[in-house]
Amino acid sequence: MSEAILRVSSLHKYFGDHHVLRGVDLEVQRGEMVCMIGSSGSGKSTFLRCLNFMEYPSAGRIELMGKVVGRESGARDGAPTYAYEERELVGLRTHVGMVFQQFNLFPHMTVMQNVMEGPVTVLRTGREEATERARENLTKVGLLDKADQYPSRLSGGQQQRVAIARALAMKPDVMLFDEITSSLDPELVGEVLNVMRDLSAEGMTMIVVTHELGFAYHLARQVLFLYEGVIHEQGTPDEVLKNPQQERTKGFLAGFTDFYF
Amino acid sequence: MPEFKWRWAEMPQYWMSFVDGLLVTAQLSAIIIAGAIAGGVVIGAMRYSRRRIFNWPATAFIELFRNTPILVQVVWFFYAFPVLIGGQLEPFLAAVFGIGLNITAYSAEIFRGGIQSIERGQWEAGRALGMSYLRVMRRVVLPVAVRRMIPAFANRMIEAVKATSLASTIAVADLMWQGEQLANAIYRPFEVYTSVAIIYFLAIYPLVLFTYGLERWLRIEDEVQL
């Protein structure tokens, strides 16, 4: 019953002369959670941001729900390049939710308005239905009682849960999480991870860039270790996190386990 | 000041001149402000654009009009511009151009600065929801940017009202010009120019109070932390 919802092959990304992604391949099945780990600068966030075209790939193919994105326009680094049309990307992004490290809630809108904004202005959902859906999603993240507050009144953890509800309101097929607990106080990380765990249990397809290795270990189906723009090691959580084969992976993990108690 | 006799009692009888002048000043200010807001939005947006065909002309316009004195622009539009177009330009119109384009240039910069002050994350959050560029601009960026630029805008508009006094140099019959005429006619420069200054103050100070109120109101809203 597994169905590849996302297929990426030979993804390259340059920022100027800087070759950030050097040919990344990935296949994600519907309903699975993939966690990407790696040190900063390894390209994991850039890779994630290419998946909903916050950054345009320099080369390589992205196939989302069986459809190749863009029109093939040439080749670079042995991979095909694609020309992207804004119209296609705008439509695509309604299917791919994203949650950011810095929350990025709209400061001039209440929690409720934040969550309704996408459905109402982009999907043209009626107000009543959008309100209903927003309430459901706020309930899911445990923040219905904050519906009329402005984001600045909320803690970081609460803001991040609103951001998740906002992305969920679009009924996305895939959700991307870009280090969403990295700027939170340690005691607020748990509440956000719990929401993500629930989402995964409901069958949401999730691609997660994270430094929460425990979370990745317990919930991911696949773990990818990125190093210098390539997938250096890939496998089940047990394979990558418990029995890494590559020296780089071992070195990276040592930074986390040296002070384990 | 030996033997100088104050003649304040004479002033009120000339109130008609002052009112006439004030009306022209108000008219000139209103037209300049309306034009500067409309023009500032368009040119500010062009300047914000990364496309050269928009960006370059806007930058040239802004730098040209920001970096020449208003008085020079007023005089230029009245005496020099007609040579260029081979015709006459009404003093009032020349003043609108000379002062207005300068204020427009500043407004454009304020507008651009306001938009630029919006964090990149806000753009990304909007785009990630599937919003087009224009929709992010309208729904996410402008509502916050406009609030941020209002105090600077208001200050610039007050500058605009004050700058209209320069129109008197090309015989636009504004408050300043009426004052000059009167002072020359009755030889009472002290009383006349003092009266002119007080009238300007009484006209402008309420505007300033209004901007204070505006800022306070924005600050309350600011619990939203913009």
Side-chain angles (χ1 to χ4, degrees):
Chain A
M1 72 155 252
S2 76
E3 165 207 357
I5 198 165
L6 176 74
R7 277 200 193 92
V8 181
S9 63
S10 301
L11 197 73
H12 287 262
K13 176 65 185 176
Y14 286 86
F15 288 114
D17 289 335
H18 190 39
H19 199 171
V20 182
L21 295 177
R22 300 158 177 265
V24 177
D25 302 286
L26 177 66
E27 187 170 313
V28 179
Q29 310 298 320
R30 190 177 280 277
E32 85 172 319
M33 183 194 290
V34 177
C35 282
M36 293 195 288
I37 60 173
S39 41
S40 58
S42 61
K44 56 193 193 307
S45 277
T46 303
F47 177 68
L48 196 74
R49 291 163 55 79
C50 282
L51 299 182
N52 71 340
F53 298 86
M54 288 287 112
E55 307 288 353
Y56 290 7
S58 306
R61 199 172 74 136
I62 296 180
E63 189 184 315
L64 199 76
M65 294 180 288
K67 199 172 165 300
V68 177
V69 183
R71 263 181 319 121
E72 200 171 328
S73 63
R76 184 177 186 182
D77 293 321
T81 59
Y82 289 84
Y84 301 105
E85 253 186 64
E86 186 63 17
R87 179 193 290 271
E88 182 183 11
L89 301 183
V90 165
L92 173 151
R93 290 189 191 112
T94 63
H95 298 283
V96 183
M98 188 172 210
V99 185
F100 303 86
Q101 183 177 347
Q102 297 299 338
F103 329 138
N104 297 341
L105 293 179
F106 305 132
H108 57 300
M109 299 182 194
T110 63
V111 164
M112 192 68 171
Q113 289 166 336
N114 263 280
V115 179
M116 288 174 64
E117 181 64 19
V120 171
T121 63
V122 178
L123 301 180
R124 301 276 168 216
T125 309
R127 291 223 147 247
E128 217 164 290
E129 194 192 329
T131 310
E132 185 61 29
R133 202 192 291 176
R135 296 176 67 87
E136 271 168 33
N137 286 312
L138 284 173
T139 307
K140 199 174 277 183
V141 301
L143 286 172
L144 187 57
D145 58 321
K146 302 285 185 194
D148 298 324
Q149 300 276 11
Y150 282 94
S152 59
R153 294 278 187 182
L154 306 182
S155 72
Q158 290 170 332
Q159 290 193 46
Q160 200 55 295
R161 282 146 67 199
V162 173
I164 293 173
R166 178 174 66 178
L168 275 178
M170 299 294 286
K171 293 192 173 161
D173 293 280
V174 186
M175 281 183 74
L176 312 175
F177 296 85
D178 191 3
E179 294 196 37
I180 72 165
T181 57
S182 296
S183 58
L184 295 177
D185 290 340
E187 77 270 22
L188 301 177
V189 169
E191 64 188 64
V192 174
L193 295 183
N194 278 328
V195 167
M196 290 169 74
R197 184 187 54 202
D198 295 347
L199 265 183
S200 175
E202 284 176 21
M204 176 60 75
T205 311
M206 300 164 71
I207 304 173
V208 181
V209 169
T210 188
H211 291 299
E212 303 294 333
L213 299 186
F215 177 82
Y217 180 73
H218 290 295
L219 296 168
R221 173 112 36 106
Q222 292 187 61
V223 175
L224 317 176
F225 173 68
L226 263 76
Y227 181 77
E228 290 190 341
V230 293
I231 296 180
H232 199 64
E233 191 156 0
Q234 175 173 17
T236 64
D238 262 320
E239 288 166 352
V240 178
L241 298 172
K242 288 284 191 187
N243 307 295
Q245 301 301 308
Q246 306 287 335
E247 288 309 312
R248 302 279 185 201
T249 319
K250 289 176 188 169
F252 175 77
L253 293 171
F256 289 84
T257 51
D258 282 354
F259 290 92
Y260 219 62
F261 65 92
Chain B
M1 272 187 280
E3 301 188 40
F4 188 85
K5 287 216 186 83
W6 304 101
R7 297 256 197 88
W8 288 107
E10 285 180 20
M11 282 302 106
Q13 64 181 299
Y14 302 112
W15 67 275
M16 268 312 291
S17 316
F18 290 132
V19 168
D20 281 350
L22 192 60
L23 283 177
V24 173
T25 293
Q27 226 177 350
L28 195 56
S29 302
I31 292 172
I32 286 170
I33 288 172
I37 291 175
V41 167
V42 173
I43 293 166
M46 286 171 67
R47 174 116 154 99
Y48 180 72
S49 168
R50 260 181 256 159
R51 287 208 205 153
R52 282 178 190 174
I53 47 161
F54 294 130
N55 185 298
W56 284 11
T59 304
F61 174 90
I62 288 168
E63 295 306 348
L64 181 63
F65 285 102
R66 227 170 32 147
N67 298 308
T68 41
I70 297 183
L71 181 57
V72 172
Q73 288 170 28
V74 168
V75 169
W76 189 86
F77 270 104
F78 188 58
Y79 293 105
F81 188 58
V83 177
L84 215 60
I85 58 168
Q88 284 279 317
L89 202 58
E90 288 285 310
F92 188 86
L93 215 52
V96 167
F97 282 129
I99 302 164
L101 292 179
N102 178 284
I103 303 293
T104 303
Y106 274 101
S107 302
E109 278 298 84
I110 292 168
F111 188 76
R112 180 188 63 88
I115 295 176
Q116 237 157 29
S117 78
I118 303 299
E119 305 70 25
R120 217 178 64 155
Q122 291 289 307
W123 281 97
E124 293 190 343
R127 284 170 59 213
L129 285 176
M131 293 186 180
S132 63
Y133 175 89
L134 282 179
R135 185 166 282 150
V136 180
M137 189 65 125
R138 204 174 61 230
R139 299 287 308 171
V140 177
V141 173
L142 283 182
V144 177
V146 164
R147 279 186 212 184
R148 284 186 187 164
M149 55 181 108
I150 279 177
F153 244 134
N155 279 329
R156 186 47 52 185
M157 296 314 133
I158 287 164
E159 289 301 315
V161 177
K162 288 191 277 187
T164 57
S165 63
L166 293 169
S168 64
T169 56
I170 53 169
V172 172
D174 72 335
L175 180 56
M176 182 65 199
W177 185 85
Q178 294 285 4
E180 282 170 13
Q181 299 306 110
L182 191 59
N184 292 338
I186 64 174
Y187 306 109
R188 301 305 299 178
F190 184 85
E191 287 85 345
V192 170
Y193 286 128
T194 306
S195 301
V196 166
I198 290 171
I199 294 169
Y200 269 115
F201 178 84
L202 292 178
I204 290 168
Y205 192 56
L207 296 178
V208 175
L209 290 180
F210 174 72
T211 68
Y212 288 162
L214 208 60
E215 279 174 43
R216 227 186 347 265
W217 176 69
L218 287 170
R219 209 174 311 135
I220 295 167
E221 293 279 303
D222 249 11
E223 296 189 29
V224 183
Q225 241 175 51
L226 297 178

